[in-house]
Amino acid sequence: MQTISFDFYSTLVVMVLVLLLGAFLNSRIKVLSKYNIPEAVVGGIIAASLFLLLRVFGDIKLSFDGSLKDPLMLAFFSSIGLLADFSSLKKGGNRLFIFLVITSVLLVLQNAVGIGIATALGENYLIGLLAGSITMSGGHGTGAAWASVFSAEPYNFAGALEVAVAAATFGLVIGGIIGGPVAAYLIKKHKLKTPGDKTESVHIPITELEAYKERKITQSSFIESLALLAICLLVGVYLADFVKRLELDFTLPTFVYCLFTGVVLRNSLSALKIHEVFDREVGLLGNVSLALFLAFALMNIDLVQLANLALPIFSVLFVQSVLMVLFAIFVTFRFCGKDYDAAVLSAGHCGFGMGATPTAMVNMQAVCKNYGMSHTAFIIVPLCGAFFIDIVNAIVIKGFLSLF
């Protein structure tokens, strides 16, 4: 088989083309825009399918430079941290706590369902765990970490990594597909008022309008925002490496440290009145990073690996998908207030509840692009998906392992 390698620059071009393809199809195919399917998901899946056909029928394998992937992901979460000032976090209120409890309940259900189906089919219960909260709510990083544990003593599960990667990849794709439709269904069924409704006027004080117009994105301001992101990446990666060397029982993903650095940096600068973070500019940098990261991740998914999964794995993943949709509609939406913010939260929960907080953010961005902004959702989901879910997930996984 011939392998064609793409260097850094050509890989970047392909990533951008994937996004442009997704945007083009979303603008031409009504069903995609109607159900808020993210552009990165549309372009990424099509690209992965084309690459698979090239590999099967042309005997050609494409290899892309992955040096941009992690920095883009870390840059996105750093931007989330830089946008999370303490005064804004208070707006999450009780709904933040409620959402955290809801996501924790889902972790338990995902493992119970996974283990139940795996054991009922006579398979190793670890398959159920790996296709449960480890990858569904933990993603590729958590899946790979636990796979290394299950591959060694005393578990000796040889196929742990393959199951984890396949399940996390499946969750990444499905999470990006179901989020938008779930929100659209809830908005239509409950006739929710959205910020984009013509009947609902939005009054912005003159002072805010003037401030918005006066502060423009300039070369100087852009460099300042870029410097803040660079500091978050540097400190976050250093902290992650430092904690890893401590050899604790469990460690958090690197992006959590970058996000936390962003929160501390933003609020420290604000409290000391040293610098005012340019939210719109930082948000722009973060959104671009997120879109490019997802484009790369999705165009590199191994569809052959998914196709080769055994029946038990498919059974678990199918039920997990159904569970996520039903849980988002009947639990997340209802307990989070049954309003537009709750609908956007449900879309976000579908994203990181199936494996990736970036997918959750894309889901919510797609919904808000059509119906209007939900500030509450964009405060709550990153905090739960980045700060809390990995910690709670580790505790839940440890609890299930103690039962066997």
Side-chain angles (χ1 to χ4, degrees):
M1 178 177 292
Q2 180 183 0
T3 300
I4 300 178
S5 299
F6 288 72
D7 60 13
F8 176 92
Y9 304 103
S10 54
T11 297
L12 179 59
V13 170
V14 174
M15 292 162 62
V16 174
L17 290 176
V18 166
L19 290 177
L20 292 176
L21 173 63
F24 174 79
L25 292 176
N26 273 15
S27 65
R28 295 296 190 276
I29 303 176
K30 292 183 178 180
V31 68
L32 296 177
S33 57
K34 178 181 179 181
Y35 290 103
N36 310 307
I37 306 301
E39 296 168 354
V41 173
V42 175
I45 293 178
I46 291 178
S49 301
L50 293 175
F51 298 158
L52 174 61
L53 293 175
L54 188 62
R55 182 176 180 179
V56 173
F57 297 104
D59 203 31
I60 298 176
K61 180 181 179 181
L62 303 183
S63 177
F64 296 98
D65 187 295
S67 57
L68 266 177
K69 181 182 177 182
D70 288 342
L72 286 171
M73 180 188 68
L74 298 179
F76 167 70
F77 282 104
S78 296
S79 72
I80 294 296
L82 289 170
L83 294 174
D85 64 294
F86 289 146
S87 59
S88 296
L89 295 180
K90 295 178 182 178
K91 297 178 182 178
N94 294 331
R95 201 172 333 205
L96 174 61
F97 175 76
I98 293 172
F99 190 71
L100 176 59
V101 172
I102 290 173
T103 55
S104 300
V105 171
L106 180 64
L107 298 178
V108 177
L109 290 178
Q110 286 177 331
N111 288 331
V113 167
I115 293 175
I117 295 175
T119 53
L121 295 175
E123 300 292 335
N124 191 329
Y125 77 95
L126 292 177
I127 291 178
L129 267 181
L130 286 167
S133 74
I134 289 179
T135 54
M136 293 296 95
S137 291
H140 285 84
T142 304
W146 281 103
S148 63
V149 175
F150 294 157
S151 299
E153 294 285 351
Y155 304 103
N156 296 316
F157 181 31
L161 182 59
E162 289 74 16
V163 173
V165 172
T169 302
F170 179 90
L172 183 69
V173 175
I174 297 300
I177 291 176
I178 65 177
V182 164
Y185 166 78
L186 291 170
I187 292 171
K188 182 177 180 180
K189 177 178 175 59
H190 297 278
K191 299 179 180 178
L192 303 176
K193 284 188 175 182
T194 67
D197 287 344
K198 294 181 180 180
T199 57
E200 182 179 342
S201 60
V202 179
H203 299 283
I204 303 177
I206 296 299
T207 54
E208 292 187 18
L209 283 174
E210 291 176 349
Y212 183 84
K213 291 179 180 179
E214 287 177 1
R215 191 164 192 185
K216 298 179 180 180
I217 296 178
T218 64
Q219 177 180 331
S220 178
S221 67
F222 188 88
I223 292 176
E224 291 174 355
S225 297
L226 192 60
L228 293 176
L229 287 176
I231 293 173
C232 292
L233 265 64
L234 176 65
V235 176
V237 171
Y238 174 80
L239 287 176
D241 291 339
F242 175 76
V243 173
K244 186 178 181 179
R245 289 195 296 270
L246 295 179
E247 298 183 352
L248 302 176
D249 290 338
F250 66 90
T251 59
L252 296 173
T254 303
F255 71 80
V256 176
Y257 297 99
C258 292
L259 191 153
F260 177 74
T261 302
V263 174
V264 174
L265 182 59
R266 193 264 170 61
N267 290 279
S268 297
L269 293 175
S270 178
L272 297 175
K273 297 182 179 180
I274 297 176
H275 176 74
E276 181 181 354
V277 175
F278 193 168
D279 289 349
R280 184 161 55 91
E281 191 170 61
V282 171
L284 176 63
L285 287 168
N287 290 338
V288 172
S289 299
L290 171 63
L292 290 171
F293 162 73
L294 272 183
F296 180 86
L298 288 168
M299 75 184 194
N300 279 283
I301 60 176
D302 191 345
L303 298 178
V304 174
Q305 189 175 41
L306 289 177
N308 291 333
L309 284 175
L311 177 61
I313 306 302
F314 272 122
S315 300
V316 174
L317 295 176
F318 174 76
V319 176
Q320 295 288 16
S321 302
V322 175
L323 171 64
M324 185 69 257
V325 172
L326 296 177
F327 193 89
I329 292 174
F330 295 104
V331 179
T332 306
F333 176 70
R334 293 182 181 275
F335 282 90
C336 286
K338 299 176 66 174
D339 56 8
Y340 175 67
D341 288 329
V344 179
L345 281 171
S346 298
H349 197 186
C350 288
F352 82 76
M354 292 297 289
T357 303
T359 306
M361 304 305 292
V362 171
N363 284 351
M364 295 193 300
Q365 285 177 337
V367 174
C368 293
K369 183 178 181 180
N370 283 353
Y371 299 101
M373 185 60 182
S374 171
H375 297 284
T376 299
F378 275 86
I379 292 172
I380 292 176
V381 169
L383 285 176
C384 287
F387 275 115
F388 303 120
I389 201 67
D390 288 299
I391 298 174
V392 177
N393 199 12
I395 297 173
V396 171
I397 294 167
K398 289 278 190 179
F400 272 92
L401 287 173
S402 66
L403 299 176
F404 294 89

